[in-house]
């Protein structure tokens, strides 16, 4: 699995995921990460972003770190990969101590290819001491749902703002010439968000992959409401026109939700 030609990428892709061909620009992103180049990827939900970093992680010897904001998202991806008997693990605060210890040992033994974790867990001393071992090769740092860095990084989850210091800190403990690619994935990033991600993560001449986020199966429209009563009236009319259908209603606060 050390050869990264197109044939080997396609073969592993078909063997593990069962697809005959990639969806543009999946293969181009995979090749960018395999070449240890930084990348910033904006792709719609359901477009196959996770394969873009899972596949290169399995093609190279070493560890790929996947930073994700929500435990449920991490657990879902890890369960799917473990079902395929792939070398992947997950660390978060609710993981039992014995399982966490087993994962830390696997990092030191270099038997893992993918490790899912939150930014807070990444910076925790027990894990950091393993990741900075000189013999532990780290290929890439993947930031999934990267827009959360700009939305949560100041007060709610300040660890996000410290991610830019992770690569240089890790490289200090690694052999000379080591490379760690950074790839930020999101479905939502306007030009200002992309600039913030590039600056805070200290991306080096990142390859940009910008796919239109709009989807043909979604109909976006707005209605003007001049008062809370008007808003309730329009909502009631909408619900009455959608009998026996399910959906989501977003409210401004928990109290609004309970009242509704």
């Amino acid at each position: 699995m050390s050869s990264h030609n197109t044939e080997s990428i396609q073969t592993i892709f078909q063997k593990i995921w069962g697809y005959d061909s990639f969806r543009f620009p999946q293969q181009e992103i995979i090749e960018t990460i395999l070449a240890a180049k930084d990348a910033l990827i904006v792709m719609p939900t359901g477009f196959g972003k996770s394969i873009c970093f899972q596949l290169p992680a399995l093609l190279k010897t070493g560890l790929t770190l996947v930073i994700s904001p929500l435990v449920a998202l991490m657990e879902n991806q890890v369960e799917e990969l473990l079902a395929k008997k792939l070398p992947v693990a997950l660390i978060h605060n609710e993981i039992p101590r014995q399982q966490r210890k087993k994962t830390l040992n696997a990092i030191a033994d270099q038997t893992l290819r993918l490790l899912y974790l939150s930014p807070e867990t990444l910076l925790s001393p027990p894990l950091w001491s393993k990741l900075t071992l000189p013999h532990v090769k780290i290929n890439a740092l993947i930031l999934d749902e990267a827009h959360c860095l700009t939305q949560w990084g100041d007060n709610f989850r300040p660890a996000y703002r410290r991610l830019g210091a992770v690569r240089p800190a890790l490289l200090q403990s690694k052999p000379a010439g080591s490379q760690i690619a950074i790839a930020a994935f999101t479905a939502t990033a306007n030009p200002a968000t992309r600039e913030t991600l590039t600056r805070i993560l200290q991306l080096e001449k990142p390859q940009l992959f910008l796919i239109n986020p709009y989807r043909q199966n979604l109909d976006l429209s707005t209605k003007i409401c001049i008062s809370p009563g008007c808003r309730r009236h329009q909502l009631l009319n909408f619900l009455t026109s959608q009998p026996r259908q399910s959906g989501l209603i977003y409210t401004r606060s928990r109290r609004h939700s309970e009242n509704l």
Side-chain angles (χ1 to χ4, degrees), residues 72-127:
L73 292 176
M74 292 190 279
E75 287 181 339
N76 180 259
Q77 290 194 30
V78 170
E79 284 174 7
E80 290 180 358
L81 294 170
L82 288 176
K84 301 177 187 294
K85 302 187 184 306
L86 299 173
V88 58
L90 164 68
I91 293 184
H92 58 71
N93 291 335
E94 298 174 17
I95 294 289
R97 180 177 295 182
Q98 282 302 110
Q99 185 178 340
R100 181 186 290 254
K101 183 178 179 182
K102 183 178 177 181
T103 299
L104 292 175
N105 290 337
I107 294 171
D109 295 338
Q110 299 189 92
T111 56
L112 287 179
R113 289 292 176 269
L114 276 161
L115 178 63
Y116 282 74
L117 63 169
S118 69
E120 293 84 1
T121 307
L122 170 65
L123 300 171
S124 65
L127 176 59

Side-chain angles (χ1 to χ4, degrees), residues 22-37:
F22 290 103
R23 175 186 289 171
F24 179 81
Q26 286 177 319
Q27 183 169 330
E28 290 76 4
I29 296 170
I30 289 167
E31 291 172 349
T32 298
I33 296 175
L34 285 173
K37 295 178 181 177

Side-chain angles (χ1 to χ4, degrees), residues 52-223:
C52 296
F53 56 80
Q54 291 170 352
L55 185 50
L58 299 171
L59 284 165
K60 296 183 77 172
T61 302
L63 183 63
T64 293
L65 304 174
V66 182
I67 312 300
S68 187
L70 299 174
V71 169
L73 292 176
M74 292 190 279
E75 287 181 339
N76 180 259
Q77 290 194 30
V78 170
E79 284 174 7
E80 290 180 358
L81 294 170
L82 288 176
K84 301 177 187 294
K85 302 187 184 306
L86 299 173
V88 58
L90 164 68
I91 293 184
H92 58 71
N93 291 335
E94 298 174 17
I95 294 289
R97 180 177 295 182
Q98 282 302 110
Q99 185 178 340
R100 181 186 290 254
K101 183 178 179 182
K102 183 178 177 181
T103 299
L104 292 175
N105 290 337
I107 294 171
D109 295 338
Q110 299 189 92
T111 56
L112 287 179
R113 289 292 176 269
L114 276 161
L115 178 63
Y116 282 74
L117 63 169
S118 69
E120 293 84 1
T121 307
L122 170 65
L123 300 171
S124 65
L127 176 59
W128 189 256
S129 65
K130 298 294 183 184
L131 296 177
T132 51
L133 291 171
H135 74 278
V136 173
K137 183 182 179 185
I138 299 176
N139 293 321
L141 179 67
I142 307 297
L143 186 59
D144 201 10
E145 305 294 337
H147 58 277
C148 291
L149 182 147
T150 62
Q151 295 173 348
W152 293 354
D154 291 323
N155 300 312
F156 180 43
R157 298 182 71 171
Y160 266 101
R161 291 280 172 169
R162 298 167 61 190
L163 290 177
V166 168
R167 174 165 57 185
L170 286 172
L171 287 174
Q172 285 182 0
S173 66
K174 305 303 176 187
S178 297
Q179 292 180 302
I180 300 175
I182 299 181
F185 288 80
T186 179
T188 309
N190 59 23
T193 299
R194 297 199 296 268
E195 189 280 328
T196 301
L197 289 171
T198 301
R199 175 172 47 82
I200 292 180
L201 294 174
Q202 299 181 32
L203 300 181
E204 299 173 357
K205 297 180 180 178
Q207 299 285 315
L208 297 179
F209 297 92
L210 309 177
I211 307 302
N212 193 326
Y214 291 103
R215 297 167 62 172
Q216 292 182 351
N217 62 328
L218 299 180
D219 177 26
L220 304 180
S221 61
T222 60
K223 291 182 181 295

